[in-house]
Amino acid sequence: MATFKDYEYIRPDLNEAKEKFKALYVAFDQADSAATQMKVIDDINALRNKIDSMFNLAYIRASINTKDEFYEQERDFFDENNGEIVYFESLYFNALNRSAFKEELKEVYGEQLFDLAELYVKQFDESIKDLLNQENKIASEYSKLVASAEIEFQGDTYTFAQMGKFLESSNREERKNATLAVQNYRANLLNQYDDIYDRLVKVRHEIAVKLGFDNFIELGYVRMRRVDYTPHMVENYREQIAKYVVPLAQKLYIAQQERIGVDSLKVYDEPILFTSGNESPKDDARTILENGRKMYRELSPETDEFYQFMMERDLFDVEAKKGKQAGGYCTYIDDYKSPFIFSNFNGTDHDITVLTHEAGHAFQVYRSRDQKVPDYLWPTHESCEIHSMSMEFFTYQWMDLFFKNADKFKYKHIVDAIQFLPYGVAVDEFQHIVYSKPDMTPKERRNAWQSLEEKYLPHKDYDGIAPLVDGALWHRQGHIFESPFYYIDYTLAQVCAFQFFKRSTEDFAAAWKDYLHICNIGGSLPFNKIVETAHLSSPFKDGTLKEVMTFLEDYLNKIDTTQF
């Protein structure tokens, strides 16, 4: 059996691929029946999958070790040629749009593929290829800058991920000093962060204008494949967060301040919910992964099969180490039908949340891997996050495997999720402001962030620590740099996951059945239809957030935090 280390990487010959794609598109246009076009689509998708597989292998191996010169060069190759690859994709979607047999193809592939095709065509023109390459190279500057971090603390050097255990120390002085070390490091890079983002905003605005949009906001929604909701709906949703979630979040911060016995809750106190410290995993990374076997075996036959597949093929890289890219993700290697989970375990409760979160993504794509349409392997981003965030709650009854006090973990997990929502929509509104005024100066952008903190995060007390006090908190958020407008998706999915959690406390089997169903259908439906199929209430619907917050507050009130 081949394991991940055996998966073969060969740099694709893009000139050869271009000629093959062109020949296939000619064959597609000349086809005399829908059946013939479907055979051509199979050949096109096989070629797309090969290129995508090589991209993902290069990306994974470069992120595991950013000092690996070979894979760094390969990732650079894909960055530099991203415009060409997007061009291949655009030809495919253009071909679908002009098919003489479109209605017959829709009966086989579904409406969603053609809705996606229409959006894809809008986001690309051959004239922007060089600008897309430029955008990718600038975004990679950010990820490399973050990955290269060497933060001096207590006589040693650490990455951002490795600093996590100190930032969550039960000792307040150590937490403060760790925060100062991280922020001093970021302060020295303030102008670099601002410059990278300034160049990204400007190149994205230029791309949008060349494509005929007024600004990047419109293009951003197209890129995110948002076919069934609008900026106006998102704006109303953000106001619902301000109305129903911010007050509960503030109430929880006040309770936290009283519980940990501080006069005022400083930024370095926020990670600590209990004077005894947060609940940490009781085992090392390897044991955590092995305990995952038991959890997923008992959860369902489907999750058991999936997890065994992942472990047998060594499709995890979860331990934090120097030179490793920050963050966590799940991706998929088409030619091997393999999900892959990347993370940076750091000895905090986040290790378990990341495991279950990324496993939710991996389980969904594993269940969807036999979809005839590669574009249905994954749903659009906000729908993808339903699977990951809901898995965090479906695994609650197995948390004793990972923690000595599972209730302590659950309390913090729920509180963190509630308090994340205002931050998540602040990130979204920030991007709407920035891309509506692309000529803002870096200082004006940081001022805009500070105004959003007053609206959504009024508890923030930075204790004078720069650059946080200067409105630079968002510099830590890779999505803002690398995946514009991909952040509110987490909040939308979180509201759906809360609903699955509520339903799992009422009828676990019925909730799991609906969850499994939406994993199976992958990306064959847009967001609101997936929500409807899962028998959930849309986050955009007035009243949904109020109902969800009421349930969560009641659930939290039943946990006796004095025992912690």
Side-chain angles (χ1 to χ4, degrees), residues 202-303:
K202 286 179 168 56
V203 75
R204 285 168 180 158
H205 181 72
E206 186 178 353
I207 290 169
V209 171
K210 272 187 177 267
L211 290 173
F213 297 101
D214 289 337
N215 55 46
F216 184 75
I217 296 171
E218 298 172 58
L219 177 57
Y221 274 61
V222 167
R223 283 186 177 185
M224 294 301 295
R225 310 289 190 269
R226 293 175 178 168
V227 302
D228 63 350
Y229 61 94
T230 65
H232 176 72
M233 293 167 68
V234 169
E235 182 180 2
N236 180 62
Y237 166 73
R238 292 196 304 256
E239 292 308 313
Q240 297 284 305
I241 295 282
K243 185 175 181 179
Y244 295 111
V245 184
V246 171
L248 177 56
Q250 295 309 113
K251 189 184 296 186
L252 293 169
Y253 282 120
I254 292 169
Q256 175 186 357
Q257 177 184 327
E258 294 172 352
R259 192 165 53 247
I260 66 174
V262 294
D263 292 334
S264 62
L265 195 72
K266 306 297 185 184
V267 65
Y268 44 82
D269 296 319
E270 287 180 31
I272 296 298
L273 270 71
F274 317 103
T275 52
S276 58
N278 297 333
E279 191 70 2
S280 298
K282 58 187 179 183
D283 296 303
D284 61 16
R286 178 49 52 186
T287 307
I288 288 171
L289 290 180
E290 284 300 327
N291 284 337
R293 286 188 197 266
K294 176 177 172 61
M295 175 172 70
Y296 283 115
R297 182 173 64 248
E298 294 178 1
L299 175 55
S300 77
E302 294 85 2
T303 49

Side-chain angles (χ1 to χ4, degrees), residues 138 141-142 145 148 185-199 475 481:
I138 300 170
E141 282 183 47
Y142 174 81
L145 185 63
S148 67
Y185 185 87
R186 287 196 185 279
N188 290 329
L189 298 173
L190 178 72
N191 291 335
Q192 281 181 260
Y193 284 127
D194 276 341
D195 175 64
I196 289 171
Y197 192 56
D198 189 64
R199 285 183 283 134
H475 281 174
F481 292 81

Side-chain angles (χ1 to χ4, degrees), residues 168 277-283 287-288 291 295 347-356 392 395-413:
E168 294 190 12
N278 297 333
E279 191 70 2
S280 298
K282 58 187 179 183
D283 296 303
T287 307
I288 288 171
N291 284 337
M295 175 172 70
T348 70
D349 61 330
H350 190 58
D351 296 350
I352 310 306
T353 305
V354 168
L355 173 66
T356 55
E392 295 174 30
T395 53
Y396 257 22
Q397 60 187 284
W398 289 275
M399 287 301 104
D400 287 333
L401 290 171
F402 306 103
F403 300 105
K404 291 179 180 177
N405 191 326
D407 279 345
K408 189 178 181 184
F409 162 76
K410 291 174 189 176
Y411 183 89
K412 179 178 182 294
H413 180 243

Side-chain angles (χ1 to χ4, degrees), residues 473-525:
L473 178 69
W474 59 272
H475 281 174
R476 72 181 185 181
Q477 201 59 61
H479 301 74
I480 292 175
F481 292 81
E482 299 169 307
S483 305
F485 291 103
Y486 180 6
Y487 208 66
I488 199 166
D489 308 69
Y490 290 112
T491 76
L492 294 167
Q494 187 69 74
V495 176
C496 294
F498 282 147
Q499 292 180 72
F500 264 132
F501 174 41
K502 180 176 184 291
R503 291 184 56 201
S504 73
T505 65
E506 298 161 350
D507 187 338
F508 189 93
W512 178 256
K513 181 180 178 182
D514 283 338
Y515 175 81
L516 184 60
H517 175 63
I518 63 169
C519 288
N520 292 341
I521 64 174
S524 59
L525 294 173

Side-chain angles (χ1 to χ4, degrees), residues 53-73:
S53 295
M54 295 307 104
F55 165 77
N56 279 313
L57 281 172
Y59 184 85
I60 293 166
R61 288 171 177 160
S63 55
I64 288 172
N65 181 8
T66 60
K67 297 180 181 179
D68 185 317
E69 291 185 9
F70 175 79
Y71 283 110
E72 273 301 292
Q73 289 175 358

